[in-house]
Amino acid sequence: MSAETADRVAVSGSRPNTPPQTSWFEFLLDDSLLENHLQKRSPDPSPVQLVIQFLEQASKPSVNEQNQVQPPADNRRNRTLKLLALKVSAHLKWDLDTLEKGLSIPVLNMLLNELLCVSKVPPGVKHVDLDLSTLPPTTAMAVLIYNRWAIRTIVLNSFPEKPTKLGPHQMNMLNLVQQEKESTENILQVLKEQSEDSIMVLEAALGIKKDFYIHTLRTLDLLAAEPPTTNGETECSTAGLKISADELHCQVHYNLGAIFFQQGCSDPASYEKARQHFFKTKELLLKLDSKALHCCLDEKRLAGYWNACRVLTGASDPSDAQLTAYGLINNFIKNKNYQALIETFINDNVTLSLPNYFRQSILREFVHKVQQGDRTLEEVCHKLCMCNAVREALEGQVVSVYFQQLLLKPNKCKMDFLLEVCRRALGTEHIGTSKRKIAALLKAVCQSIEEMSLVFMVSSHKLFMELLPDEERKTLVEQMKKRSASTNFSAKPLPSFYDIPASASVNIGQLEHQLILSLDCRRIRQILIELHGMAERPFWRINSKWEVPQDYINVILGIKDNLTRDLVYILMAKGLHCITIKDFAHARQLFSACLELVTEFSPKLRQVMLNEILLLEVHAHETGLGCNRERPPPDLVSRVRGYLEMRIHDIPLRQLVGEECVAFMLNWRENEYLTLQVPQSLVMNNPYIKLGQQLAATCKELPGPKESRRTAKDLWEVVVQICSVSNQYKRASDGRVSLIKQRDSTLGILHRSKFVTFIKKLREPLVLTTLISLFVRLHSIVRDDIVNEVTAEHLSIWPSTLPNMQSIDVEAVAVTMKELVTYALSLNPNNHSWLITQADIYFVTNQYSAALHFYLQAGAVCSDYFSKAVPPDVYTDQVLKRMIKCCSLLNCHTQVAVLCQFLREVDYMTAFKALQEQNSHDAMDSFYDYIWDITILEYLTYIHHKRGENEKRQIAIKAIGQTELNASNPEEVLQFAAQKRKKKFLQAMAKLYF
């Protein structure tokens, strides 16, 4: 038996037996089979697939004896197949949502034309000329279904959509895809030409007050019977499914509203018509019963349409008690009540109810007005920009390019307003998180502005003084003065723990309540003494939230004296809780008291407490670091080294302490120490120390002239094992082996989730860059797509192949890579290498707008927001080509042409092809000012002349006529002209995609 056969047998052995799929021709042989098939819970093939199969077979061309292709024959077989397709659609109750999702436009067009045919719609007569009120019920309904579909299709295809991308194995389908595309375009062209007729048909239907009837499986069966039966049952009676007039009118109003809204771009008066139809839709929806058979609307989309119409027409809804936030903002803008608008934005920084993209769109609208010459709105722009910056800071996002540009020209008024917005943004919910984020924003502002008077103004403000400790403020100001200072954060020594008198107290319940709430070590001891005087039981159990690490449980519970045991347990549990909520001051007091207590009777617990205090100091230093990069005190580094070198036996050790110490040493580049001086026994027993040692060894070699592949290979093998999966098999009774499931391999030193948690404790850029590089290489190997590879630094140090690629969890590698890059950028959003990697990740996953955002961000951070030239090692030809492809797939063809000039050798072929495109979603001729290549400009004039676009041709000619682009100019002048246009173009792109 071959390996392939064995795999097939193994897989089939693990599956339950499933009945074979019913073939389309079986429905021709058995009249009752279709109805029975459709009644199944999950029929296979599905109803929509059946429609496709029936119509595909019915429309197949035939070949005559002379081998000539003939149209499909009009025979009984083909007529039956078409009828079967209609019966399936009737089973779906002619739900256009379902049919549109499953059927292409050509197939649905064929189906509905067949419906018109069997419903006896008079051939050769325009639908607009038919009197629907005099037609048989099912005939009138067929006309309405067709025209509703026509309107819906026009609306749906007015939205831009991403082109279908064919893989290499699909290239043989290119012909079929091209044929279907041409057929779709032809049908759309006809539907658009007849759109006014379709609108009139639907408007006429609104005047019919009687109920409508739609074909069912029964009426379609009757159509296949003798003519007398057919005429009597389906045309002149109510044999079909009854659809109430209100249901149909509701659906028609919605469709008309959508088409009029779409026409509003060219005819603003259409927005009022759309509003009226949507208002009627809302009225009818309230009136209709929830069990309506035919009226299925997307109510969220309807609400969106309704809000948009009210904004565009300025009308108010009498049924609304008050306007929505969007309506209020629109009214403020319309009435030029800019103060109220700004106030709304400030209040929203607390409620966070408006989406960020909406706030940014409002700002862009005002910026555009200023760019058009309305300088009176500059102050409004600045204030909105600062409001948005505070919102972005609160959400942990990178502040926009507008805000960065605003800080280039700061003044007292701007700083006063920013401080006021920050003050008011501190709502009651999540106050601690908000304070930290606002503090980080204000520190970043101080570091961005150069005028010392403004730095002093911000740093001496009451809000700033509340948010940051005095030491941190002083350090910041001194840094701005370019002077260094050191701050001593050492904690004050506690008085002796046992100098506390005990006193009588009240009942046990009250004492237990006080014990749970208290963080005062003396008071905790006093309460426990009183409790033990009243009852002998373990009081460390009274609060289920008190937890100590499992490693220490046995040692603590082994303490013989009950009072001492309770006291040690509770002090440690409370201290650990304080660390969790970053209350390090109380944690120090609790741990110091516990250390003083255990020193007298247990050397083992004394060492445990010293380890926990070390972990506390590491946490406190790393958490309080913020934006500062000052090295930790030598004493703390020495204590961390001491822990890693510790050789005391029988001491319970928490892996977390080793993990934090390793992360701490990596973050402070103690690579030499981790590589050479950590005891081998500790490396073997603690996976985090082993991982840290290999990371340190790899990073230590990277800055040198030669990159070491040996140390990198050791790290590579460890990470590959972490990302591996093991297959679990089961042997059946007949001896066959089948795969049950895949799970994370037990060969790795860490589980992947723990590995990711450890990574997120690292902050050192070189360590993060090394890990990003490793995962990018691993991702490229398992993805095996040379054209769409993610890039990163130091890729050459990693192996280029994997011996057992099938064992790698591909999804886990991709997810970890994305998490790692996102985390790295949260620490430093200005690292251009990480930004390029993030952009590549979006690029290879077909998220082109997001990819462009990060490509532009990478250029912005290393060129002072494009005020200088972007370094060529950042915008390489590969990056530029990917930016070009992003713009092309977003249908921004003029941007493509401009970017083609940025390449080392101008790509005229791509630029010319892009300029030939007429369906461009960018500003087209407004980008001509950024073109400096005369050949491209000359081609533009030729294209516009050929199309008869004289106005655009004149813009191109004007661009050519600029003196600085004259070919006779010195090379320096031409280079200066090119650089100037590059900067302006990239700044314009940043405003579009940031």
Side-chain angles (χ1 to χ4, degrees), residues 894 924-931 937 940 944 952 955-956 959:
T894 318
M924 296 185 72
D925 49 322
S926 67
F927 285 111
Y928 292 177
D929 285 340
Y930 306 127
I931 300 176
L937 286 169
L940 266 174
H944 290 315
K952 291 180 180 179
I955 295 172

Side-chain angles (χ1 to χ4, degrees), residues 11 29 43 62 74 118 226 258 260 264 273 345 444 451 524 605 640 695 737 748 807 877 895:
V11 173
L29 305 175
S62 57
D74 184 17
V118 300
E226 293 299 320
F260 282 129
K273 294 180 184 176
F345 271 48
E451 195 174 330
I524 292 169
L605 276 173
V640 170
L695 265 169
V737 178
S807 67
D877 269 10
Q895 294 171 15

Side-chain angles (χ1 to χ4, degrees), residues 103-111 149 180-181 183-184 187:
L103 305 180
S104 65
I105 289 176
V107 173
L108 192 45
N109 181 60
M110 187 191 312
L111 177 72
W149 168 74
E180 184 170 314
K181 185 180 177 184
S183 176
T184 301
I187 293 168

Side-chain angles (χ1 to χ4, degrees), residues 5 23 137 253 265 289 362 467 498 561 587 598 634 697 778 845 854 896 944 953 977 982:
T5 308
S23 298
H253 276 301
C265 299
D289 185 69
I362 296 293
L467 294 178
Y498 284 103
D561 181 70
V598 300
L778 186 55
T845 52
F854 282 99
V896 169
H944 290 315
R953 178 171 171 268
K982 279 184 182 181

Side-chain angles (χ1 to χ4, degrees), residues 36 67 73 146 207 229 242 296 469 513 622 931 939 967 978:
N36 293 334
N67 211 25
Y146 179 85
T229 308
K242 180 180 175 182
C296 300
H513 182 67
E622 297 295 284
I931 300 176
Y939 184 77

Side-chain angles (χ1 to χ4, degrees), residues 174-192:
L174 195 56
N175 246 353
L176 294 173
V177 172
Q178 188 60 33
Q179 287 175 13
E180 184 170 314
K181 185 180 177 184
E182 290 175 3
S183 176
T184 301
E185 287 174 354
N186 292 336
I187 293 168
L188 281 171
Q189 185 63 34
V190 173
L191 294 180
K192 286 174 183 175

Side-chain angles (χ1 to χ4, degrees), residues 150-159 255 258-260 262 305:
I151 292 299
R152 287 166 61 104
T153 304
I154 293 168
V155 172
L156 286 172
N157 281 272
S158 66
F159 303 135
N255 297 143
I259 189 67
F260 282 129
Q262 189 246 342
Y305 271 134

Side-chain angles (χ1 to χ4, degrees), residues 359-375 377-378 380-385 388 400-403 405-406 987 991-992:
R359 292 170 58 119
Q360 293 293 347
S361 69
I362 296 293
L363 174 59
R364 281 196 294 271
E365 187 178 330
F366 278 92
V367 170
H368 178 70
K369 289 177 181 177
V370 172
Q371 290 171 344
Q372 296 297 313
D374 190 350
R375 295 294 172 185
L377 296 176
E378 272 190 350
V380 178
C381 281
H382 295 164
K383 289 184 176 181
L384 291 177
C385 176
N388 284 352
S400 69
V401 64
Y402 294 122
F403 185 68
Q405 290 174 336
L406 196 62
Q987 286 171 350
K991 289 176 181 177
L992 283 173

